[in-house]
Amino acid sequence: MTLHLTDPADRDRADRDPADWENPALTGRGRLPARAYFFGYESAELARTMDRRRSRGFVDLTGDWRFRLFDHPARVPATALAEESEDWDTVRVPHLWQVDGYGQLQYTDEGYPFPVDPPRVPADDPTGVYQRTIVLPEAPVGERTVLRFDGVESYAEIYWDGAYVGMTKGSRLSAEFDVTDVTHPGTNHLVVKVLQYSDGTYLEDQDMWWASGIFRDCYLLSRPAAHLADFFVRTHRLADDRAEVTLTAGVVGRPDVTWEVYDGERLVASRAVTPGTDATLVVEGARFWNPEDPHLYDMRLTVRGADGTVQYVPHRLGLAEVTIVEGRLLLNGTPFKMHGVNRHDHDDRHGRAVGMARVERDLHLMKQHNINAVRTAHYPNDPRFYELCDRIGLFVLAETDLETHGFANVGDLPRITDDEAWQTAYVDRIERHVLAQRNHASIVMWSLGNESGYGCNIPAMYRRCKELDPTRPVHYEEDRDAEVVDVISTMYSRVSQMNDMGEHPHPKPRIICEYGHAMGNGPGGLAEYQRVFEAWDSIQGHFLWEWCDHGLVATTDEGREYHAYGGDHGDFPHNGSFCIDGLVFPWQEPSPGLVEYKHVICPVRVDYADGLCTVTNGRWFTDLSDVLVVLETLHDGRVVGSRTLTPGPVPPGKAWSEAVHPDVAAHGETHVTARVLSTAAHEWAEPLRELGRYQTLVADRPRRTEGAATRAAVAAEADGTSLVVTTRAADRYMVDLLTGDLSWRSRGRELLQEPPRVGFWKPLVDNHQQENDELWAPRFLSLMQTSTRDVSWREQDGAVVVEVSSRIAPPTLDIAMRVTLTWTLADDGVHLAVEGEPVGDYHDIVPRIGLSFAVPRELRSVDWYGLGPGENYPDSRAAATLGRWHSTVDDMFTPYVVPQDCANRGDVRWAALTDPHGDGLAVRAAESGPFAFSAWPHSTAAIDAARHRTDLVPEDRVTVNVNHRVLGLGSNSWGSEVLDTYRVRFEPFRFALDLRSVSAAAPHHDEGIAS
């Protein structure tokens, strides 16, 4: 880690007049930039722990503080800064006061929540005052006491026993204050005055909730008179697995400094260090750090003062060198790719006041889902975050605390980015960030910020970044031609664009720092992106937007919890649910999108063809010694055999093959499924975790044709406007001769609560909002009406055939679909054939083409032969394999924060919904092939109307959707449209299905698709 203290005299450079602290030239002044570090006077045991609280000289200031919120900085009484106020509220710090019920929460994507008038902010500026008493012992002579804050938003003034100490800006950057001269033995009174808005707020418009407070840890540190002030360690790989490690140390006083490097208990190298000069040592037989094998050495700096005090500064050292050679990023000489995500800090109960247990679970989930990189969007994280990434193995694209996106709303995004008056503020942010984190092996590159346009302050930031750390490349997406930065980057480029960029590579390495907007149900199309990423060496990183939904827990009047988003707190203007855009639900459960991403980026590929199974190592640094491949043979979805392959130590980029001869079924479908498992145990995963799965169709042989069974004749009788058909099995069909609607009574109950009807609408998913706004809403596709034009029937071959002609059309327009339904009502069930012919000039995309109906609520057990086990869509199915699956209607319903279409299963051969006794209804694919299937405990209208999960109430029926075609997901909430391959158009169609009444004692399906 790094220690860094500037001259305490800097504290006096900041004028306390609000008119002055709004001056951008003063931004960053008056604070002592903090650097993450651990230390101890008497032992170096902290080298093996993250818990800094075990260190002598540490006073934890997290916990209960007195607090009061004022509406204007000038309304804070002087006594509040100097005297204890016992009658104030007590709050738990870290916290954000708006999340805890003080003041107004507001969410905007890019707009500032106040009039744009830089550098000024509203005079009525919510101001929180925190008070805390601290009892300190007598300090050794010469010892320095430092007050540190890891995060305060957005501007803070520090007072100690009523005396002004200093101020800080840069909300997500740590700040330190040397308070030695104001502390004393006994009771001390600390006050922190925090303003919600400052001129620094113009640099912190990062698509998140506007909230303020002391939201990260704060504490007091003691340092001996002679101590380490800073260090910088870097690695250079030599030949023969030797590492040259260079250290530069800065000190206060004139101590002796010794540098040691251990591998476990073994001392591998050591030497004395002359402060202010470079010291070098060589690690023989080095084990270099990488995210697949994140080996860390224990590095220890021992600082001995002339007065006999000893300071130990331990550091977990990863030997990592990032270089660019011929336009490619290399780690320790090896090329690599980053399969990443963008991560905001978020806790659904505490906002950005995120505890380390939650951070650790975030990172463990990433590793469990094959993610190897994270972009800290769009600000530095808690210092311990980087240690975790070092330890468990994640590349970090380390972004500093900068985004001025709100200026896009006034048509001038680079307004202050291209204003030299703000240059000190810009440079300060990258300087503090780099000095704080530059010793972390996990950091693969720096990022100067996000969506702030381009101007003179960007080259200034780049130059300062390179001065402080010349060893790492620098990223900034809005340097569109990489005029200054070392890595060229884009956002939300389409698949075809990325392929063009791969075909015509830039001289510098390329990444796509945001893509695949994961809002609600989605994203789709990741597999197509991945094929492009893997095809081109010059594309070395991709980061999905984003990791977690930013929902905040709220409760209904009845005490039911839901997750709030923009507008739910009376905030305006706001960007609604645009903050609900993560791969992980707010309660840290993976969404179907994250499961899909895991399989798309699986680092081990398995192919089967012509009796040969080939296993390819897609890792960059490690072999396949820990990998097993379980091959399962399936006949019509049922597992009939299994064997395990052990590829052994296959090197990165190489393949291994073995002959495999699965048992092929005499009739029907034979598939081989390969499940890739890792036997390695990690702190974040148990052995035998699944890395991914692949499936191949081996054979599809014609099914056995039995002699045509004699079908018992049904009885048909017209009764007024109804046609009643009864079967030998006592099933009773009734067709309304005016509407063509079918009802069906079986085993003493109505099997259909709502008749099957053709439809083109389904609940809107977030990723289709733009299609809805541009295509569907103007044409009222959600309001389409069915007009039955003709119903006729006839008896044929012991069955009754009913033909229904109808026109399905929206109001006010002349576009329509002419639809013909042909029902064949027989003793053994119902056969339905559907044909459609469009009318009018609309031929663009629609959400689906299919049927919907309802069955009794008791039919909640679901079995199917198709893609599963989880939710899947045409462009989001890498995680799905064909098989026989079981679930329930409730478990299939994905709990998206904003209810929307969900639960789809594709390539279904048959599906059955049954009650606890095994009675129910089955749907089987007929001559048109497999269908898509979903079942919900709610109606389409209810899901569309709901804004939160608690808006949905249990219904007395189950909605069933059997769709001929379903539109792909894409990520067009803010990203890529649905690829043409996965589009469903308002064009002619034809499909057919069989429906059967089933019971536990009677088969409810054939093995596959009907002949």
Side-chain angles (χ1 to χ4, degrees):
M1 319 304 167
T2 309
L3 297 93
H4 187 84
L5 289 174
T6 58
D7 185 347
D10 278 358
R11 290 179 293 135
D12 300 326
R13 299 181 188 174
D15 194 314
R16 282 172 258 172
D17 188 322
D20 285 334
W21 60 251
E22 289 177 339
N23 187 335
L26 296 179
T27 299
R29 296 295 188 183
R31 57 94 191 107
L32 298 173
R35 306 301 174 235
Y37 70 98
F38 302 117
F39 73 100
Y41 286 169
E42 296 169 351
S43 77
E45 63 181 327
L46 288 180
R48 293 176 178 80
T49 179
M50 286 184 58
D51 187 2
R52 60 187 170 213
R53 289 161 180 77
R54 294 174 61 186
S55 171
R56 175 183 167 186
F58 179 92
V59 178
D60 189 0
L61 299 181
T62 60
D64 291 340
W65 291 57
R66 289 175 296 277
F67 175 79
R68 186 173 172 188
L69 183 63
F70 298 86
D71 63 358
H72 193 291
R75 297 189 197 278
V76 179
T79 54
L81 306 179
E83 300 173 7
E84 198 170 309
S85 303
E86 295 291 350
D87 59 338
W88 286 11
D89 291 342
T90 299
V91 297
R92 181 82 178 170
V93 172
H95 90 139
L96 294 163
W97 70 63
Q98 294 88 343
V99 177
D100 287 348
Y102 301 90
Q104 175 70 60
L105 269 167
Q106 184 170 4
Y107 164 67
T108 63
D109 167 29
E110 62 185 38
Y112 294 110
F114 48 72
V116 175
D117 182 25
R120 296 170 181 81
V121 294
D124 294 332
D125 193 347
T127 302
V129 178
Y130 298 82
Q131 298 180 340
R132 173 81 180 245
T133 55
I134 308 164
V135 179
L136 298 176
E138 184 78 34
V141 174
E143 184 173 88
R144 308 305 297 179
T145 301
V146 175
L147 172 64
R148 176 184 169 99
F149 296 88
D150 282 337
V152 185
E153 185 164 343
S154 72
Y155 165 89
E157 292 177 359
I158 315 302
Y159 297 83
W160 197 285
D161 287 342
Y164 174 74
V165 172
M167 51 78 81
T168 179
K169 304 175 190 178
S171 299
R172 271 71 69 176
L173 294 159
S174 300
E176 288 183 354
F177 301 85
D178 190 323
V179 293
T180 307
D181 297 339
V182 293
T183 58
H184 53 84
T187 301
N188 293 254
H189 185 55
L190 170 63
V191 174
V192 184
K193 175 181 168 185
V194 180
L195 277 64
Q196 179 166 0
Y197 303 125
S198 69
D199 57 332
T201 304
Y202 284 103
L203 304 177
E204 297 173 4
D205 183 25
Q206 287 129 327
D207 184 10
M208 57 191 180
W209 292 95
W210 293 98
S212 309
I214 304 172
F215 67 94
R216 289 183 186 157
D217 284 4
C218 48
Y219 36 92
L220 283 172
L221 302 167
S222 299
R223 293 168 181 159
H227 60 265
L228 191 70
D230 190 15
F231 74 88
F232 181 29
V233 62
R234 51 266 191 211
T235 297
H236 174 56
R237 182 166 189 162
L238 303 174
D240 302 321
D241 289 332
R242 298 161 65 239
E244 180 184 76
V245 187
T246 302
L247 174 81
T248 307
V251 299
V252 174
R254 295 178 178 271
D256 294 324
V257 181
T258 302
W259 176 24
E260 298 169 304
V261 176
Y262 290 83
D263 191 359
E265 299 299 323
R266 180 175 65 90
L267 178 66
V268 298
S270 66
R271 63 161 296 170
V273 176
T274 301
T277 63
D278 288 349
T280 300
L281 54 77
V282 174
V283 178
E284 302 286 346
R287 188 172 167 185
F288 290 88
W289 185 95
N290 64 70
E292 297 163 17
D293 179 25
H295 184 74
L296 296 174
Y297 291 83
D298 289 329
M299 184 182 113
R300 183 183 309 168
L301 294 171
T302 305
V303 185
R304 291 180 171 84
D307 60 356
T309 60
V310 180
Q311 181 191 33
Y312 294 96
V313 179
H315 171 62
R316 298 286 278 158
L317 173 66
L319 302 179
E321 178 187 30
V322 181
T323 55
I324 297 176
V325 177
E326 296 180 352
R328 295 191 73 185
L329 285 167
L330 308 179
L331 177 65
N332 301 319
T334 299
F336 61 91
K337 290 181 187 283
M338 293 174 284
H339 308 310
V341 291
N342 287 272
R343 178 188 173 275
H344 268 289
D345 271 336
H346 184 74
D347 182 293
D348 64 340
R349 297 182 183 275
H350 306 291
R352 283 188 298 287
V354 180
M356 289 311 296
R358 186 177 178 106
V359 173
E360 190 168 26
R361 174 163 167 76
D362 273 350
L363 301 184
H364 286 184
L365 282 170
M366 291 178 193
K367 292 290 288 186
Q368 290 164 14
H369 289 81
N370 296 327
I371 290 164
N372 72 354
V374 56
R375 178 183 179 216
T376 61
H378 300 290
Y379 43 79
N381 279 222
D382 185 294
R384 292 167 289 182
F385 167 89
Y386 304 94
E387 295 183 29
L388 281 169
C389 293
D390 291 344
R391 194 175 83 195
I392 70 174
L394 281 166
F395 285 125
V396 177
L397 173 51
E399 197 148 89
T400 198
D401 195 5
L402 176 65
E403 181 169 337
T404 68
H405 205 173
F407 286 100
N409 287 352
V410 295
D412 191 9
L413 181 58
R415 177 178 295 187
I416 60 177
T417 301
D418 202 28
D419 183 347
E420 288 188 359
W422 287 81
Q423 192 164 113
T424 298
Y426 276 68
V427 172
D428 173 77
R429 291 184 178 236
I430 193 63
E431 175 185 282
R432 292 164 68 184
H433 182 37
V434 172
L435 283 173
Q437 312 303 345
R438 62 182 173 174
N439 291 316
H440 287 288
S442 57
I443 294 178
V444 70
M445 67 179 74
W446 303 107
S447 178
L448 303 181
N450 185 67
E451 292 180 317
S452 300
Y454 189 82
C456 61
N457 296 331
I458 299 303
M461 292 179 76
Y462 176 84
R463 288 191 296 271
R464 184 57 176 152
C465 184
K466 283 296 193 179
E467 287 171 2
L468 297 172
D469 181 9
T471 70
R472 288 184 179 89
V474 178
H475 162 273
Y476 179 63
E477 182 265 337
E478 297 226 350
D479 183 0
R480 296 288 165 78
D481 297 319
E483 174 186 334
V484 172
V485 296
D486 307 305
V487 177
I488 190 164
S489 178
T490 59
M491 286 183 180
Y492 303 104
S493 302
R494 286 10 182 201
V495 173
S496 58
Q497 292 174 308
M498 293 305 300
N499 192 63
D500 288 344
M501 293 170 185
E503 286 184 336
H504 308 285
H506 194 276
K508 297 180 179 181
R510 178 179 294 279
I511 68 170
I512 180 168
C513 64
E514 292 181 25
Y515 83 111
H517 200 256
M519 189 172 177
N521 188 346
L526 298 183
E528 285 71 23
Y529 268 112
Q530 197 65 27
R531 283 196 284 272
V532 171
F533 299 151
E534 292 174 357
W536 305 109
D537 291 341
S538 60
I539 302 175
Q540 290 196 251
H542 52 97
F543 296 81
L544 279 180
W545 187 266
E546 68 169 310
W547 176 247
C548 185
D549 289 339
H550 296 211
L552 291 170
V553 167
T555 56
T556 65
D557 292 341
E558 298 79 26
R560 298 172 64 203
E561 282 192 352
Y562 64 95
H563 284 82
Y565 45 81
D568 285 337
H569 294 274
D571 48 313
F572 191 84
H574 62 81
N575 287 99
S577 62
F578 205 62
C579 59
I580 309 298
D581 56 0
L583 294 167
V584 173
F585 293 123
W587 51 93
Q588 280 191 301
E589 176 188 342
S591 74
L594 180 56
V595 177
E596 173 76 4
Y597 192 38
K598 169 186 174 178
H599 289 268
V600 165
I601 61 176
C602 177
V604 182
R605 191 175 73 248
V606 181
D607 298 291
Y608 173 82
D610 301 324
L612 198 65
C613 183
T614 302
V615 180
T616 303
N617 184 359
R619 295 169 172 172
W620 299 98
F621 306 99
T622 56
D623 64 30
L624 299 186
S625 295
D626 64 310
V627 167
L628 302 176
V629 178
V630 178
L631 288 182
E632 296 174 340
T633 302
L634 294 84
H635 291 174
D636 281 329
R638 183 181 286 116
V639 177
V640 297
S642 175
R643 63 173 293 192
T644 300
L645 306 181
T646 306
V650 181
K654 301 300 182 181
W656 170 92
S657 297
E658 183 166 311
V660 173
H661 301 290
D663 177 27
V664 177
H667 309 282
E669 297 175 317
T670 299
H671 287 87
V672 170
T673 300
R675 297 175 55 237
V676 183
L677 309 178
S678 172
T679 62
H682 304 280
E683 65 174 89
W684 44 269
E686 297 294 326
L688 297 180
R689 71 183 180 98
E690 186 173 281
L691 301 177
R693 57 177 60 185
Y694 302 86
Q695 190 173 64
T696 303
L697 175 65
V698 176
D700 185 5
R701 294 179 172 175
R703 302 184 184 282
R704 183 184 299 109
T705 56
E706 303 288 353
T710 303
R711 185 162 60 184
V714 298
E717 181 182 358
D719 182 9
T721 60
S722 298
L723 172 66
V724 179
V725 179
T726 56
T727 72
R728 180 182 58 180
D731 277 18
R732 177 176 177 271
Y733 310 114
M734 186 166 69
V735 179
D736 188 316
L737 295 175
L738 295 180
T739 65
D741 289 343
L742 173 71
S743 60
W744 185 350
R745 188 168 184 82
S746 179
R747 293 180 179 84
R749 70 174 167 198
E750 292 295 331
L751 202 52
L752 297 175
Q753 298 258 329
E754 288 185 4
R757 293 195 177 101
V758 174
F760 306 96
W761 183 257
K762 60 184 178 63
L764 185 67
V765 301
D766 289 328
N767 277 310
H768 295 158
Q769 186 63 55
Q770 292 196 47
E771 285 83 351
N772 184 61
D773 292 344
E774 296 172 10
L775 298 174
W776 305 336
R779 293 172 175 83
F780 306 106
L781 256 62
S782 64
L783 302 176
M784 295 183 84
Q785 303 167 5
T786 300
S787 297
T788 303
R789 301 306 190 197
D790 182 65
V791 179
S792 62
W793 66 278
R794 66 183 183 276
E795 295 183 87
Q796 180 177 309
D797 299 330
V800 172
V801 178
V802 180
E803 287 192 2
V804 181
S805 298
S806 60
R807 189 177 191 271
I808 304 174
T812 79
L813 301 175
D814 61 355
I815 61 173
M817 184 70 73
R818 284 195 296 262
V819 175
T820 301
L821 291 84
T822 302
W823 298 100
T824 301
L825 310 175
D827 183 65
D828 58 352
V830 176
H831 178 76
L832 171 63
V834 184
E835 295 185 50
E837 186 69 33
V839 175
D841 60 359
Y842 184 73
H843 303 288
D844 216 320
I845 59 175
V846 291
R848 64 154 184 154
I849 297 172
L851 292 174
S852 292
F853 54 91
V855 298
R857 63 179 302 172
E858 295 82 14
L859 275 58
R860 303 183 89 79
S861 182
V862 186
D863 293 273
W864 73 99
Y865 171 27
L867 289 177
E871 179 177 287
N872 55 85
Y873 284 78
D875 60 349
S876 180
R877 52 188 288 176
T881 55
L882 278 166
R884 296 178 182 232
W885 308 106
H886 172 78
S887 188
T888 66
V889 171
D890 296 305
D891 288 345
M892 291 175 71
F893 195 82
T894 307
Y896 292 111
V897 171
V898 180
Q900 54 199 279
D901 179 62
C902 65
N904 189 76
R905 268 64 173 177
D907 273 3
V908 176
R909 278 72 168 144
W910 55 258
L913 291 97
T914 55
D915 64 16
H917 304 291
D919 297 332
L921 176 69
V923 182
R924 187 184 63 157
E927 58 270 16
S928 56
F931 53 86
F933 168 81
S934 60
W936 307 322
H938 311 286
S939 67
T940 295
I943 297 171
D944 254 338
R947 306 313 304 148
H948 303 92
R949 298 191 313 279
T950 47
D951 295 337
L952 295 171
V953 297
E955 298 183 8
D956 63 354
R957 62 193 64 195
V958 171
T959 298
V960 181
N961 307 290
V962 181
N963 292 318
H964 173 53
R965 293 196 64 193
V966 173
L967 182 66
L969 296 171
S971 61
N972 205 21
S973 51
W974 190 259
S976 298
E977 304 82 1
V978 178
L979 293 173
D980 193 67
T981 304
Y982 307 115
R983 295 185 180 186
V984 179
R985 299 186 183 279
F986 201 65
E987 293 177 343
F989 64 87
R990 184 183 187 282
F991 64 91
L993 302 164
D994 290 326
L995 290 82
R996 298 287 185 268
S997 170
V998 302
S999 70
H1004 58 263
H1005 54 77
D1006 288 340
E1007 293 299 324
I1009 302 171
S1011 300

